[in-house]
Amino acid sequence: MENNITFTMIKPFAVETGNIGTILDVIIKHGFKIRAMKLTRMSKSQAEKFYAVHAERPFFADLVEFMSSGPIVAAILEKENAVNDYRELIGSTDPAKAAEGTIRKLYGVSVQKNAVHGSDSDENAQVESTFFFSTFERFLL
Ligand code: GDP
């Protein structure tokens, strides 16, 4: 069970440009089951908390500003080997370097507006899922 979930966000620019449905379709077609999902918006302080690991990076202020600039879709996805398989499906952080067919290649436009977030470890998948969803909002088998 432990390596079976990952956490994702469809980021503000991808939501704003009407790509929620197409991105969810790619996710589902690659075998991920949606086990929790909501359209929500992070405050600046929530975005600072979510990305606290990047607090010292030069792009932190821009990242927080952007991620709190509009609604996002947050979701918990379930699949065997979810974290690694989803990282592969989303592609490199920079859409220009992402492999053909990956979500960031298809729907990302820059390093900042790279369409989606995906957890980088099983531990962070749990932490990030808990950040957004109560136990009543999760439908894990
Ligand atoms: P990820 O795990 O592939 O999302 O990448 P990171 O954990 O390294 O960075 C988190 C997020 O910060 C990325 O998805 C980008 O949106 C953003 N980011 C990373 N590097 C940069 C950068 O050099 N400039 C800007 N503006 N944003 C960045």
Side-chain angles (χ1 to χ4, degrees):
M1 193 65 190
E2 264 141 36
N3 70 346
N4 282 8
I5 68 154
T6 191
F7 172 80
T8 189
M9 286 186 280
I10 302 176
K11 298 187 179 185
F13 186 75
V15 170
E16 179 62 28
T17 50
N19 285 313
I20 296 175
T22 43
I23 290 172
L24 290 177
D25 199 40
V26 173
I27 290 170
I28 291 163
K29 285 198 168 116
H30 281 80
F32 293 87
K33 306 278 189 202
I34 295 169
R35 298 303 191 197
M37 187 163 70
K38 67 173 85 166
L39 181 72
T40 186
R41 181 176 180 168
M42 283 193 280
S43 65
K44 267 194 181 186
S45 67
Q46 284 170 324
E48 280 169 358
K49 206 170 157 198
F50 186 87
Y51 283 111
V53 67
H54 294 307
E56 304 305 321
R57 309 280 286 276
F59 58 83
F60 182 66
D62 284 347
L63 178 62
V64 166
E65 188 71 34
F66 172 62
M67 288 303 295
S68 58
S69 68
I72 52 117
V73 171
I76 300 174
L77 307 176
E78 184 175 14
K79 183 181 184 292
E80 187 72 33
N81 201 31
V83 166
N84 291 337
D85 284 5
Y86 192 61
R87 295 286 292 188
E88 201 174 318
L89 179 61
I90 70 178
S92 299
T93 307
D94 182 353
K97 295 180 186 150
E100 289 300 328
T102 59
I103 293 174
R104 284 172 165 172
K105 181 74 172 185
L106 289 167
Y107 304 107
V109 295
S110 67
V111 171
Q112 183 162 280
K113 294 177 176 171
N114 61 0
V116 288
H117 167 84
S119 306
D120 63 4
S121 67
D122 292 332
E123 188 190 355
N124 282 338
Q126 295 293 342
V127 170
E128 292 169 359
S129 296
T130 301
F131 188 90
F132 277 92
F133 296 102
S134 73
T135 51
F136 297 103
E137 297 172 303
R138 303 174 188 212
F139 301 92
L140 297 166
L141 299 180

